[in-house]
């Protein structure tokens, strides 16, 4: 069943080759990638539009100042910048820039572009895709190739966040009336692949930047991006050998893929956590009563059969996460055992305990329909959002709903397209959701993106919309000291704050899903060559380092 290609996916895959002329295709080294599931491609390369931009916009068109390699403890690999450092008082951050970079239209890249781009972020709003407005006081040109960023407060980790902000050409974007609606159909970038040679709803191809400063190290001419809507279509295409670089969940990969396509290899390094969340600000007043009750959230958590989720939805690739804050085994060295000792019972599968907790908290089935009502008698009924096509997450939610049903909680699943889901969660127009999280070199990125109020409207990770200034201050304090013992103590406080309040319901720690073709190409990151996170997902800066290492296998 999984291997049976649908008529839709067959048409899409045929479109991958039909839209490129044979002569041009023969001259180019093209890498076929799947970096995101979507129903169709809509042309938009505006890096300031985090939801609408195409998944190959960042890194491949708009190169970052620095890539901090999370797998190497945050080690910097300089790209548009050659150096960065803080002032003695830690209130200014300086970047020294490369002097040999041109935009893809031939215009020189200078400090003016960096100042313009980061100034847009410092204003907040849609253009502030990394939540920098609360951190950047001002941005200054200190010379043609040097920039100073004055900070509102000390934050020794802000450099890793700033370099994720888009750096765009000032001469293009400053002439646009409204950069938040600009579709940027013909992008001008500093990255390796800026030329859009083919574009349709089925497939688009972006090719080599003729002015790329690192062209001598780039062996790939084009990235081909076919529409793949879900894991099933991806597997069908992968079996036929049509995909080179993917990052998808494929259960029983040895049997269902490798046995049918001998050119495919995989690597599943450890990644971040994944949790259920309820929206503390849901517009549904009755659901909001339950969601803001810690005992309801604890009962929800206790109804999660984490082992079944790992074994069935995760095909055994994941690990059970019973950390009250969702920290996960990947950050065990940062964990406070006392937090798990105090609150771990609420993060362990226990249907009977969950039923008792609900009952003693006043939740009872008043109308006899098998589902509990709020203590005041009002109904509780909600949908859990999960992206369309994310089969492993969909199955996770289905297993989660089984547990909720057993304890009398009326929940169901809904699967909108990822972009729609992201907007619903950011705007707090939903009830509940399931999401995975990024890890990082230490737990800061997880805690910041998942629990800091600055991030609530930036992405799906903070979709619970729980806001507490004390928690914000704790998270902020981590980057105000370089003393390791103090940083560990701060992490313990953050863990206790989140775990004691059951803000989310963690269920597993995941892995990075990475599949690649090692017959046609070489240089891939792998267990034998673990240079960096290997996935091609849009929010992975290391994918730039990866593509620069990939080269075709010689047929000579």
């Amino acid at each position: 069943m999984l291997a049976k290609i649908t008529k839709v996916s067959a048409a899409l895959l045929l479109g991958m080759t039909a839209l490129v002329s044979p002569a041009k295709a023969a001259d180019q080294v093209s890498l076929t990638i799947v970096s995101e599931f979507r129903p169709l491609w809509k042309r938009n390369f505006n890096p300031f539009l985090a939801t609408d931009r195409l998944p190959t916009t960042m890194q491949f068109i708009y190169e970052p100042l620095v890539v901090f390699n999370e797998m190497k403890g945050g080690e910097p690999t300089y790209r548009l910048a050659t150096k960065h450092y803080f002032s003695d008082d830690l209130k200014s951050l300086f970047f020294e820039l490369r002097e040999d970079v041109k935009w893809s239209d031939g215009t020189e890249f200078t400090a003016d572009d960096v100042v313009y781009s980061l100034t847009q972020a410092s204003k907040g709003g849609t253009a502030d895709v990394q939540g920098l407005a609360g951190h950047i006081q001002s941005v200054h040109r200190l010379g043609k190739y040097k920039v100073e960023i004055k900070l509102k407060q000390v934050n020794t980790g802000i450099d890793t966040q700033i370099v994720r902000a888009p750096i765009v050409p000032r001469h293009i974007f400053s002439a646009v009336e409204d950069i938040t609606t600009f579709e940027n159909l013909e992008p001008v970038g500093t990255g390796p692949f800026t030329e859009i040679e083919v574009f349709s709803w089925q497939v688009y191809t972006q090719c080599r930047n003729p002015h790329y400063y690192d062209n001598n190290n780039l062996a790939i001419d084009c990235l081909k991006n076919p529409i793949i809507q879900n894991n099933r279509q991806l597997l069908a295409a992968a079996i036929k050998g049509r995909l080179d670089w993917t990052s998808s969940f494929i259960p029983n990969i040895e049997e269902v893929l490798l046995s049918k396509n001998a050119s495919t290899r995989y690597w599943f390094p450890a990644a971040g956590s994944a949790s259920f969340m309820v929206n503390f600000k849901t517009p549904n007043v009755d659901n909001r009563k339950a969601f803001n009750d810690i005992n309801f959230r604890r009962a929800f958590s206790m109804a999660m059969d984490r082992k079944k989720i790992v074994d069935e939805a995760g095909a055994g690739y994941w690990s059970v996460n019973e950390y009250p804050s969702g920290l996960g085994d990947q950050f065990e060295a940062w964990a406070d055992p006392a937090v798990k000792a105090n609150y771990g019972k609420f993060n362990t599968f226990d249907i009977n305990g969950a039923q008792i907790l609900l009952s003693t908290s006043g939740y009872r089935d008043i109308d006899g329909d098998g589902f509990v009502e709020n203590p005041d008698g009002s109904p509780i009924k909600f949908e859990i959002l999960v992206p369309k096509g994310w089969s492993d997450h969909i199955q996770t939610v289905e297993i989660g709903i089984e547990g909720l049903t057993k304890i009398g909680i009326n929940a169901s699943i809904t699967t909108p397209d990822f972009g729609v889901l992201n907007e619903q969660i950011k705007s707090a127009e939903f009830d509940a959701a399931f999401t995975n999280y990024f890890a990082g070199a230490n737990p800061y990125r997880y805690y910041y993106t998942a629990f800091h109020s600055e991030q609530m409207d930036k992405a799906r990770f903070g979709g619970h919309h729980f806001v507490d200034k004390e928690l914000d201050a704790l998270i902020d304090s981590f980057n105000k000291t370089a003393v390791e013992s103090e940083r560990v103590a701060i992490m313990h406080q953050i863990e206790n704050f989140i775990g004691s309040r059951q803000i989310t319901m963690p269920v597993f720690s995941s892995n990075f899903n990475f599949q690649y073709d090692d017959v046609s190409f070489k240089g891939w990151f792998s267990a034998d060559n673990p240079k960096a996170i290997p996935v091609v997902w849009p929010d992975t800066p290391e994918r730039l380092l990866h593509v620069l290492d990939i080269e075709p296998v010689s047929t000579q």
Side-chain angles (χ1 to χ4, degrees), residues 18 45 47 73 89 98 114 205 209 265 411 447 456 516 531 542:
F45 294 100
D89 65 359
R98 296 183 66 98
V114 179
T205 302
N209 173 359
R265 298 290 181 269
Y447 283 140
M456 295 297 134
Y516 60 100
K531 286 190 175 181
E542 290 92 335

Side-chain angles (χ1 to χ4, degrees), residues 12 16 38-41 201-203 225-229 233:
L12 298 178
M16 290 162 50
R38 290 197 189 180
L40 54 84
W41 295 131
W201 72 270
Q202 294 175 312
V203 62
N225 301 269
I227 271 293
I228 298 288
Q229 298 180 356
Q233 286 185 9

Side-chain angles (χ1 to χ4, degrees), residues 178-337:
D178 184 357
I179 65 171
T180 66
T181 59
F182 179 43
E183 293 183 332
N184 198 25
L185 302 180
E186 299 293 340
V188 172
T190 53
F193 306 105
T194 58
E195 308 306 290
I196 313 305
E197 294 198 352
V198 171
F199 196 94
S200 77
W201 72 270
Q202 294 175 312
V203 62
Y204 71 95
T205 302
Q206 61 189 79
C207 296
R208 186 184 292 266
N209 173 359
H211 296 285
Y212 188 46
Y213 70 92
D214 208 9
N215 260 326
N216 289 340
N217 289 321
L218 181 65
I220 305 301
D221 294 312
C222 299
L223 299 179
K224 188 180 293 184
N225 301 269
I227 271 293
I228 298 288
Q229 298 180 356
N230 52 48
N231 285 332
R232 188 180 297 264
Q233 286 185 9
L234 183 139
L235 178 60
I239 288 172
K240 293 180 178 292
R242 300 180 187 271
L243 306 176
D244 300 314
W245 185 6
T246 62
S247 302
S248 182
F249 176 78
I250 300 176
N252 306 312
I253 191 169
E254 297 272 356
E255 177 184 347
V256 303
L257 177 54
L258 272 63
S259 66
K260 298 176 177 63
N261 181 352
S263 69
T264 300
R265 298 290 181 269
Y266 68 94
W267 180 33
F268 294 161
S273 302
S275 300
F276 286 88
M277 66 175 79
V278 292
N279 178 9
F280 285 68
K281 292 173 58 179
T282 175
N284 185 306
V285 176
D286 293 331
N287 288 341
R288 195 188 312 153
K289 297 171 190 174
F291 294 170
N292 280 271
D293 179 0
I294 187 172
N295 286 333
F296 181 88
R297 299 193 300 275
R298 283 174 168 170
F300 187 129
S301 177
M302 295 164 73
M304 298 298 102
D305 190 342
R306 292 165 174 82
K307 188 176 186 306
K308 184 176 182 180
I309 287 171
V310 167
D311 290 344
E312 296 185 12
Y317 300 152
W318 308 331
S319 61
V320 168
N321 187 334
E322 295 178 340
Y323 290 80
S325 71
L327 191 64
D329 288 338
Q330 65 271 29
F331 293 129
E332 184 178 7
W334 294 85
D336 181 358

Side-chain angles (χ1 to χ4, degrees), residues 370-383:
F371 297 110
V372 298
E373 280 76 38
N374 278 306
D376 67 359
S378 56
I380 304 168
K381 183 179 181 180
F382 57 90
E383 294 180 327

Side-chain angles (χ1 to χ4, degrees), residues 403-549:
L404 293 176
T405 301
K406 288 178 182 177
I407 65 171
I409 292 178
N410 191 354
S412 58
I413 187 172
T414 183
T415 59
D417 290 328
F418 177 78
V420 174
L421 173 145
N422 209 33
E423 287 303 314
Q424 282 182 268
I425 292 179
K426 290 195 298 182
S427 62
E429 295 294 326
F430 77 107
D431 280 318
F434 179 78
T435 187
N436 56 345
Y437 297 95
F438 294 117
N442 58 52
Y444 173 79
R445 189 180 180 209
Y446 163 59
Y447 283 140
Y448 176 73
T449 57
F451 298 103
H452 198 290
S453 65
E454 291 177 345
Q455 295 294 302
M456 295 297 134
D457 62 348
K458 301 302 179 189
R460 68 188 189 277
F461 310 117
H464 47 78
H465 293 277
F466 172 91
V467 174
D468 191 292
K469 294 304 178 183
E470 181 184 347
L471 179 57
D472 284 353
L474 278 172
I475 295 171
D476 290 340
S477 68
F478 179 78
N479 284 322
K480 293 181 180 179
T481 177
V483 179
E484 194 67 12
S485 60
E486 293 179 3
R487 289 160 71 89
V488 170
I490 290 167
M491 282 300 172
H492 286 180
Q493 292 179 67
I494 295 171
E495 184 184 6
N496 184 73
F497 188 103
I498 295 168
S500 66
R501 290 163 177 79
Q502 196 75 59
I503 299 174
T504 60
M505 287 65 73
V507 290
F508 65 78
S509 294
S510 63
N511 59 276
F512 290 111
N513 296 303
F514 165 51
Q515 304 88 27
Y516 60 100
D517 173 5
D518 79 337
V519 170
S520 303
F521 297 94
K522 61 182 180 179
W524 298 102
F525 297 167
S526 66
D528 296 325
N529 182 37
K531 286 190 175 181
I533 294 170
V535 298
V536 71
W537 296 335
D539 294 310
T540 309
E542 290 92 335
R543 67 181 183 167
L544 173 63
L545 309 182
H546 203 169
V547 80
L548 289 167
D549 269 19

